[in-house]
Amino acid sequence: YQRRVHGDVIFAFVFLLYVGGIIAVGIVSFSKGDPSLLKTKSEDYLNNAALAVHDHRVVIGVMAGAAFILAIIWLQILRFFTETIVYVSLFAGVAGVFVAGVALVSVGNQENLFYLRLAGFIVMGCAVLLCVFIYFIRHRIHFTAVLIQEACKAISDNISLFTIVSPMYSALI
């Protein structure tokens, strides 16, 4: 129990930092942004979208059917390879962050810009911190993977549930 409390405090602090960052971005956006750039002619847009849907309804139907089939295939893949997919995705993200840091350092060296090199090293440090973070949450990742596998199993066993819920979910989106 004691270990979990400390972990929860750390994640609460990280969450509050994230929320603070979002608030800071919002403040800067409202104070220095130009809202006139966001204005569009919504009626023209809606009319054009309605015409496009009417003209391409066969293509949209085929794409919806293909998406449904791909979703069933994805459920089967997730059912058997969940943990592998999660770890590959996590480490691909970490590798992407690290490569971005290396690119920043490289460009900083070519252009002789100290701040760009510094930003690159900070980004690479964040990639290392992400690796450490992944190491410490590996048990939770395993538990989550097991939950996803069981959910995929339940959906596969009740495919009628999937056929009813997926159109409703896509309509909400």
Side-chain angles (χ1 to χ4, degrees), residues 43-116:
E43 287 182 14
D44 291 339
Y45 176 76
L46 290 175
N47 289 335
N48 290 339
L51 288 174
V53 167
H54 182 70
D55 291 342
H56 301 291
R57 61 181 172 228
V58 172
V59 174
I60 292 171
V62 169
M63 296 303 287
F68 183 76
I69 292 169
L70 288 174
I72 291 173
I73 293 170
W74 181 246
L75 277 173
Q76 296 306 315
I77 291 171
L78 269 180
R79 185 175 178 176
F80 298 107
F81 303 109
T82 306
E83 200 161 355
T84 304
I85 291 171
V86 168
Y87 277 114
V88 166
S89 299
L90 286 171
F91 285 116
V94 170
V97 171
F98 190 80
V99 167
V102 169
L104 286 172
V105 170
S106 175
V107 171
N109 285 335
Q110 289 174 354
E111 302 292 327
N112 198 19
L113 296 171
F114 170 74
Y115 291 110
L116 203 54

Side-chain angles (χ1 to χ4, degrees), residues 117-159:
R117 286 191 303 256
L118 179 63
F121 286 122
I122 290 171
V123 169
M124 286 190 290
C126 288
V128 171
L129 286 175
L130 283 172
C131 285
V132 171
F133 177 73
I134 290 168
Y135 175 77
F136 283 116
I137 65 165
R138 68 187 183 282
H139 298 294
R140 290 182 183 193
I141 291 172
H142 175 72
F143 179 69
T144 303
V146 170
L147 286 176
I148 292 171
Q149 286 173 339
E150 291 301 317
C152 289
K153 222 182 285 184
I155 292 172
S156 295
D157 291 342
N158 289 324
I159 201 69

